[in-house]
Amino acid sequence: MPTSPSEAHDSSAFDLAVVGAGPAGLAAAVTAADLGLRCVLLDGGPSTGGQYYRHPAPGLGAARPDRLHHHWSAYTGLAERLAAHEGAGRAAFRGGHQVWALERTGDGFAVHVTRGPESTDRATVRARSVLLATGAYERQLPFPGWTLPGVVTAGGAQAMLKAGLVLPGRRIVVAGSGPLLLAAASSLVTAGAEVPAVVEATAYLGYARRPGVLASVPGKLVEGAGHGGALLRHGVRLRPRSAVVEAHGTDRVTGVTVARLDADWRPVPGTERRIDCDALAVGHGLLPQIDLATELGARTRTGPDGAVALEVDARLRTSVPGLWSAGETNGVGGADLALAEGELAAHAVAGALPTAPLLRRRARLRAFAELMAAAHRPGPGWTGWLRPDTDVCRCEEVPVSAVREAVDELGAGDPRTVKLLTRAGMGWCQGRMCGPAVACLAGSVVASGPDRRPLGCPVPLSQLAAGPSAEFDDRP
Ligand SMILES: Cc1cc2nc3c(=O)[nH]c(=O)nc-3n(C[C@H](O)[C@H](O)[C@H](O)COP(=O)(O)OP(=O)(O)OC[C@H]3O[C@@H](n4cnc5c(N)ncnc54)[C@H](O)[C@@H]3O)c2cc1C
């Protein structure tokens, strides 16, 4: 149950801790403070904005960060409102605070964070409610040569440009599946890169299945047309129903082989052609980042693209009492949806009624998100471009042959057993990169259920051994 503002200000616990300061978390924190809740907004990164409003590192002295973004004024408006709430003591933003675990306590939650260089310091934030807005990470499907220098993720290329003002190469092939490819390609060409091709595994036909849903989100159509226009102006060739099936090079990528795919994403023999490049930006959609909630037992659902997201009700409550979720954690749908859900969830936490237009906007954008997910669902045939020596788990250098041996000869029928037999998923990223691929090779087309990771991020053993952490000090 939400607490009244007056009760809240008497207590050292926050009314609401928001984890993740991307569009969803930022909108939630500002709205919650507007509605009188005392709120703390935590993010592992140094500033607010998340993936969409990622901005240049301060030392780069970027004069016009807005030129790398759409809807920049939406971000600056929220940032100004947050600053006003911080000034009035209603909200606190803490960057560099990575949440590694959530724990239920008698009257709310203990939110465990690491902070400081190398995560050398720990603290515990107390809050009556928690809103999870931790976003998503990219789904990687391996192919021969995917570990070569110069091969980056599509979102990684965007992040290099937005945060570092650098390009991953001069001639960059963009490949994989999902709307992020068009956004990345359009940013890269606008920033001066040559993009010889955008290689998309689907034929985009899935979008035509529900014209009513498409028509209800004109903003998305305008955004898509904007990206398409940029690609046309720069002569970028769009290759639908195709994939990069191999990256070539020794010290660095020097080219890629692109092949046509059938409807199941199986490469069609005889259609291969080589494209020279010095970088490849590749990604196959996004996967919700939900470890903190699944560790508390929150119920999940599998979306139309096979990605596992949190199950929430109409007011964005998870199945864990006191735990809300907004944005990509509820299924990947873009920044506008994240903003709407942040606002909606904050209303729910505060016990306030959202406006009808907000509810309608969220419903339209969520329906579009489901359509988008279905349109870009990976086909099972992608494993046809693997070779026995292709690394599946790059942290532990586990090749396809070892995973296939575990499945075909040793009887592993799920990713966990494959992990125990091969070490795939035991490395630094804890299976975030190889998980979907291993699940597929173990027999399921896409991830079969939520991953369980007791720690939401790597925490030094010295920190865990150091005993109880300090109580969070609200003062800047
Ligand atoms: C690498 C990448 C690049 C992207 N680039 C674009 C793009 O250019 N254009 C576009 O339209 N969409 C892009 N997207 C999609 C985009 O993320 C969303 O549509 C939008 O930003 C979602 O907002 P969100 O608030 O749900 O999550 P996000 O914006 O992802 O914000 C989540 C925030 O949570 C923080 N966080 C996560 N875990 C923790 C933790 N344990 N403790 C503390 N903080 C945590 C993160 O640091 C991040 O700031 C990108 C996605 C990714 C993964």
Side-chain angles (χ1 to χ4, degrees):
M1 282 291 287
T3 48
S4 76
S6 55
E7 273 172 349
H9 283 96
D10 294 341
S11 160
S12 63
F14 289 92
D15 295 323
L16 176 65
V18 179
V19 185
L26 183 56
V30 168
T31 309
D34 286 348
L35 294 167
L37 298 188
R38 187 166 159 268
C39 172
V40 63
L41 175 60
L42 304 163
D43 201 293
S47 51
T48 58
Q51 299 292 357
Y52 190 76
Y53 297 119
R54 185 187 280 275
H55 27 279
L60 294 172
R64 296 284 310 276
D66 54 307
R67 292 187 62 183
L68 295 168
H69 294 86
H70 296 278
H71 316 304
W72 184 245
S73 59
Y75 169 69
T76 50
L78 285 170
E80 280 163 19
R81 282 165 64 196
L82 179 67
H85 283 307
E86 287 201 274
R90 288 185 292 266
F93 168 65
R94 293 292 178 270
H97 281 56
Q98 187 80 24
V99 178
W100 60 272
L102 291 178
E103 191 187 345
R104 295 256 291 145
T105 57
D107 55 352
F109 293 85
V111 182
H112 299 289
V113 299
T114 62
R115 54 190 182 181
E118 313 281 322
S119 306
T120 43
D121 182 24
R122 278 189 306 145
T124 298
V125 180
R126 310 262 165 206
R128 292 190 177 78
S129 301
V130 169
L131 194 155
L132 202 72
T134 42
Y137 59 99
E138 286 181 272
R139 168 161 41 205
Q140 291 302 312
L141 300 180
F143 51 88
W146 74 298
T147 54
L148 273 173
V151 180
V152 298
T153 65
Q158 282 285 71
M160 285 173 79
L161 187 56
K162 287 180 179 177
L165 305 180
V166 290
L167 292 166
R170 286 169 187 274
R171 190 174 151 85
I172 309 162
V173 171
V174 177
S177 188
L180 189 52
L181 302 190
L182 296 182
S186 138
S187 306
L188 294 173
V189 287
T190 306
E194 186 190 350
V195 175
V198 173
V199 184
E200 161 64 57
T202 70
Y204 292 110
L205 296 177
Y207 286 96
R209 285 200 191 108
R210 299 189 61 198
V213 171
L214 265 189
S216 73
V217 287
K220 291 283 172 196
L221 297 177
V222 171
E223 195 178 321
H227 294 322
L231 300 188
L232 266 180
R233 276 196 303 284
H234 290 88
V236 177
R237 172 131 189 231
L238 180 60
R239 292 177 172 276
R241 197 161 274 182
S242 303
V244 166
V245 294
E246 183 169 5
H248 308 280
T250 43
D251 298 337
R252 182 181 174 90
V253 62
T254 53
V256 295
T257 295
V258 172
R260 293 272 296 165
L261 300 181
D262 69 13
D264 284 335
W265 290 30
R266 247 175 238 102
V268 179
T271 62
E272 300 85 356
R273 69 186 306 271
R274 187 178 162 126
I275 302 176
D276 290 336
C277 60
D278 63 0
L280 168 65
V282 59
H284 295 87
L286 301 173
L287 300 171
Q289 174 86 52
I290 56 175
D291 303 353
L292 293 170
T294 50
E295 269 312 297
L296 287 178
R299 277 202 293 273
T300 58
R301 68 176 180 105
T302 302
D305 58 348
V308 179
L310 291 178
E311 183 185 296
V312 288
D313 67 11
R315 309 216 68 197
L316 306 187
R317 272 182 300 220
T318 70
S319 61
V320 176
L323 181 65
W324 275 261
S325 164
E328 312 279 58
T329 40
N330 297 342
V332 170
D336 289 342
L337 177 58
L339 288 168
E341 289 202 347
E343 205 179 324
L344 185 58
H347 275 84
V349 179
L353 279 182
T355 62
L358 174 62
L359 287 170
R360 283 199 295 273
R361 181 154 51 96
R362 188 261 171 175
R364 282 197 304 269
L365 289 165
R366 186 48 78 192
F368 176 74
E370 298 290 298
L371 179 63
M372 186 172 73
H376 294 282
R377 180 185 171 86
W382 70 268
T383 53
W385 65 58
L386 295 173
R387 296 213 195 106
D389 63 350
T390 309
D391 274 341
V392 179
C393 169
R394 60 192 301 167
C395 302
E396 294 288 322
E397 298 182 349
V398 181
V400 168
S401 55
V403 176
R404 289 213 162 115
E405 184 190 8
V407 174
D408 298 339
E409 290 170 34
L410 304 174
D414 63 87
R416 190 177 151 72
T417 313
V418 172
K419 177 176 169 176
L420 294 174
L421 291 170
T422 67
R423 296 194 59 81
M426 280 198 194
W428 178 256
C429 84
Q430 287 289 291
R432 286 182 178 84
M433 291 300 117
C434 66
V438 171
C440 215
L441 290 167
S444 63
V445 173
V446 280
S448 47
D451 292 320
R452 300 298 303 266
R453 298 186 184 98
L455 306 187
C457 62
V459 182
L461 265 181
S462 57
Q463 281 294 313
L464 293 178
S469 55
E471 290 296 313
F472 178 76
D473 186 350
D474 185 15
R475 284 162 306 195

